[in-house]
Amino acid sequence: MLECRGITFSYDKNHKKLFQDIDLKINPGEIVGMPGPSGQGKSTLAKVLSGYLQPQVGTVLVDGSPLPAGKNPVQLIFQNPEHAVNPHWNVRKILNEGGIINPELSKNFGIQNFWLDRFPHELSGGELQRICLVRALCSNLRYLICDEITSMLDALTQAGIWHSLLQEIEKRQLGVLVISHDNALIARLCSRVVHFFEDTGK
Amino acid sequence: MFVQLYRIHLNRRSRTLVTVISCLALFAAVFLGAWLYGENGEITNLQLRKLPPSWEQPFGTDWLGRDMFARTLKGLRISLMIGLSAATASAIIALILGLAAATLGKAVDTAVTWLIDVAIATPHLILLILIAFACGGGAKGVIIAVAASHWPVLTRIIRAEVLQLRSSAFIHLSAKLGRGPLWIAWHHMLPHLLPQFVIGLLLMFPHAILHAAALTFLGFGMSPHTPAIGVLLAESMRYLSMGLWWLAVAPGLTLIISVQAFDILGNSLRVLLDPKTCRE
Ligand SMILES: Nc1ncnc2c1ncn2[C@@H]1O[C@H](COP(=O)(O)OP(=O)(O)O)[C@@H](O)[C@H]1O
Ligand SMILES: [Mg+2]
């Protein structure tokens, strides 16, 4: 179980708190949705849950123990895949960063062999996002945080990516947090929705 | 259509490669020529004094009948060597200071940034003359002066590059995928920094060579015993009024050509090493 207890975060001491005293539990195999308008701190919470940022108060526990400093069973997929890859690396090297690539997995995500020698700027956003997903899925992860991962993509690409991803989540019983401002997408994918970042009239 | 596009791109890459190779060949020719001519530039021949350029003496001869082509080649070699040493020393200073500023915390960063600002605010030539003078002139003085005055720009680039890398998502992500700090430094950081460093170094050569020549021309640099291009140009001034124009024109032109070649080399390498342009 991925669990956070009483988390409070602000970017610096004088800054207002982005969120306060947040509790959240995600069980293996469960897909939890987190909707909300932009600028409220969804991405920040995603980074706290995956260990990129440390909360001022509270803890994040994965299956009972704190997040490790190194290899992380909680992987974050970013909204902009081009920031998540080294622009000087080719796709083959990028894919292999997390572990040995499972050919079947990479086929399910529609990764073409001729992409392997390309550089990131020679792929579309959707193609690059698939690569980031396959890379994360080959790294022994147990929990996946998806931060607006298909917001930049057209409806067809979006559907294709989620189709492949749902199969993998089901098969491996991954716990997933889906962050999106698209309520229809969340309604379609998630078995439970948490409302930390609804419109508060601010 | 795609094949055609690809061909055009390939052509641009090959053209860049040809440019790089021609520049390297030019420098090789200077060094080889200087080595082949050896001490020929020192031989005085009073029968062949003050001859304008001809087939036998392509750059003419000076007031002592020395072959200016041989002297220019040797002078160029000395100038290139001095530029090379000074630029390399300067680039190493830049690398150390840039890395220190970006990784050793706020106090070091503030100190290095302040040093950069001071060095950039000081007029270049005055700094050069002061340092060369303090070091007692000569090749050593020129190298120290040029090295000590050219590091700020590259330091700034390296510092900014490392800071930006350290905050990049893909670097943090690499750690989350289980990669250690050394692996990340080697596989992520170094390939980003190395091209910046090499190109910065190459683009520093022209400045180093020209400033070394300027210092020497002004009399704060090499003595007549090390006939660098700056020395040749300074000597030629005394004979310009007598109509020996070739004494200044030939060495001056070769100096400009070599400096330009380094500039072209640096910019071509930039194109080749950037993944956004390297396929073009
Ligand atoms: N690195 C940062 N430093 C300071 N403030 C930040 C940083 N990243 C985001 N913020 C601020 O935190 C707030 C929430 O941002 P974010 O978590 O990206 O929101 P969301 O994902 O819901 O759109 C925004 O006001 C943003 O300006
Ligand atoms: Mg966001």
Side-chain angles (χ1 to χ4, degrees):
Chain A
M1 184 166 59
L2 175 61
E3 183 181 11
C4 72
R5 287 186 197 155
I7 284 189
T8 299
F9 187 90
S10 64
Y11 275 103
D12 59 68
K13 289 185 197 83
N14 320 327
H15 213 268
K16 79 169 171 57
K17 295 186 178 90
L18 273 175
F19 41 79
Q20 206 163 354
D21 215 13
I22 281 192
D23 292 309
L24 174 64
K25 287 179 185 174
I26 302 173
N27 291 308
E30 188 184 26
I31 306 181
V32 177
M34 189 165 84
S38 74
Q40 303 257 307
K42 300 190 302 297
S43 298
T44 306
L45 180 57
K47 286 181 183 159
V48 171
L49 286 175
S50 48
Y52 286 80
L53 296 172
Q54 297 300 321
Q56 275 82 30
V57 185
T59 47
V60 180
L61 298 173
V62 55
D63 299 328
S65 47
L67 287 175
K71 194 166 179 124
N72 200 333
V74 185
Q75 287 291 326
L76 172 63
I77 306 294
F78 292 83
Q79 175 171 9
N80 297 309
E82 54 272 25
H83 295 158
V85 297
N86 187 329
H88 289 219
W89 285 15
N90 65 17
V91 171
R92 179 177 289 108
K93 190 159 183 195
I94 291 170
L95 275 175
N96 282 298
E97 193 174 9
I100 306 298
I101 286 302
N102 173 355
E104 197 193 336
L105 181 69
S106 115
K107 188 161 153 275
N108 283 349
F109 275 85
I111 304 230
Q112 308 289 323
N113 269 331
F114 64 87
W115 294 356
L116 296 181
D117 290 313
R118 291 194 182 169
F119 289 107
H121 74 275
E122 295 169 319
L123 294 174
S124 75
E127 290 164 352
L128 211 51
Q129 193 61 285
R130 285 169 213 258
I131 285 166
C132 291
L133 279 165
V134 171
R135 171 176 67 176
L137 289 169
C138 288
S139 72
N140 285 333
L141 83 175
R142 299 196 293 276
Y143 299 90
L144 195 60
I145 316 284
C146 300
D147 183 11
E148 307 265 15
I149 63 169
T150 52
S151 305
M152 320 282 277
L153 309 174
D154 61 272
L156 203 66
T157 316
Q158 185 172 354
I161 287 182
W162 280 109
H163 178 76
S164 317
L165 193 51
L166 284 177
Q167 282 182 341
E168 198 61 25
I169 292 168
E170 168 72 15
K171 193 166 79 190
R172 291 164 61 175
Q173 287 294 296
L174 302 174
V176 182
L177 180 66
V178 178
I179 299 173
S180 178
H181 60 266
D182 180 352
N183 288 318
L185 181 76
I186 288 201
R188 192 145 34 87
L189 296 170
C190 305
S191 52
R192 181 157 67 91
V193 180
V194 292
H195 297 277
F196 300 135
F197 299 105
E198 291 311 299
D199 260 320
T200 50
K202 264 188 265 179
Chain B
M1 163 71 183
F2 277 118
V3 173
Q4 222 168 3
L5 262 179
Y6 195 61
R7 278 218 187 106
I8 293 169
H9 282 186
L10 205 74
N11 278 345
R12 180 159 165 220
R13 184 184 161 82
S14 335
R15 239 182 306 155
T16 315
L17 268 176
V18 169
T19 315
V20 168
I21 292 169
S22 326
C23 289
L24 292 177
L26 180 70
F27 299 128
V30 168
F31 279 85
L32 197 68
W35 178 69
L36 284 178
Y37 270 88
E39 299 301 308
N40 277 1
E42 308 301 317
I43 298 170
T44 54
N45 188 335
L46 295 181
Q47 264 107 54
L48 298 175
R49 290 167 64 214
K50 302 181 188 170
L51 292 180
S54 65
W55 277 115
E56 284 78 38
Q57 285 89 20
F59 287 4
T61 60
D62 66 4
W63 60 98
L64 291 173
R66 292 178 292 193
D67 181 17
M68 281 310 285
F69 187 65
R71 292 199 84 199
T72 303
L73 273 180
K74 189 162 179 209
L76 210 52
R77 197 201 64 186
I78 295 173
S79 289
L80 288 182
M81 286 301 290
I82 285 174
L84 222 88
S85 328
T88 310
S90 207
I92 291 171
I93 296 175
L95 186 66
I96 294 170
L97 285 182
L99 285 178
T103 55
L104 294 186
K106 191 117 187 77
V108 179
D109 191 30
T110 313
V112 171
T113 314
W114 181 79
L115 264 181
I116 293 176
D117 289 340
V118 169
I120 284 183
T122 316
H124 229 70
L125 204 57
I126 293 186
L127 193 65
L128 278 165
I129 291 174
L130 280 178
I131 299 176
F133 191 71
C135 296
K140 198 184 82 186
V142 172
I143 291 175
I144 293 176
V146 174
S149 57
H150 281 71
W151 55 269
V153 178
L154 187 57
T155 307
R156 209 180 241 177
I157 293 174
I158 289 174
R159 173 182 169 273
E161 192 74 15
V162 175
L163 282 181
Q164 201 216 327
L165 275 175
R166 274 162 57 92
S167 66
S168 316
F170 68 86
I171 297 272
H172 290 284
L173 200 148
S174 191
K176 300 290 171 217
L177 288 172
R179 301 302 187 171
L182 281 180
W183 194 95
I184 291 174
W186 180 257
H187 287 89
H188 280 297
M189 308 271 221
L190 193 72
H192 262 267
L193 288 178
L194 203 62
Q196 298 278 6
F197 180 73
V198 172
I199 291 161
L201 177 64
L202 276 174
L203 293 180
M204 208 137 68
F205 283 157
H207 287 260
I209 293 168
L210 281 180
H211 280 132
L215 268 184
T216 307
F217 181 81
L218 292 174
F220 296 98
M222 266 82 68
S223 66
H225 303 295
T226 37
I229 291 289
V231 174
L232 297 190
L233 289 176
E235 286 177 353
S236 75
M237 291 308 282
R238 273 180 277 144
Y239 296 89
L240 265 186
S241 54
M242 293 165 61
L244 306 188
W245 52 269
W246 57 88
L247 294 186
V249 168
L253 271 181
T254 52
L255 182 67
I256 291 170
I257 291 171
S258 356
V259 163
Q260 273 297 317
F262 270 118
D263 214 46
I264 294 169
L265 188 63
N267 285 316
S268 303
L269 273 185
R270 199 209 303 272
V271 170
L272 284 182
L273 292 176
D274 186 340
K276 292 232 165 59
T277 48
C278 77
R279 295 266 171 99
E280 289 176 11

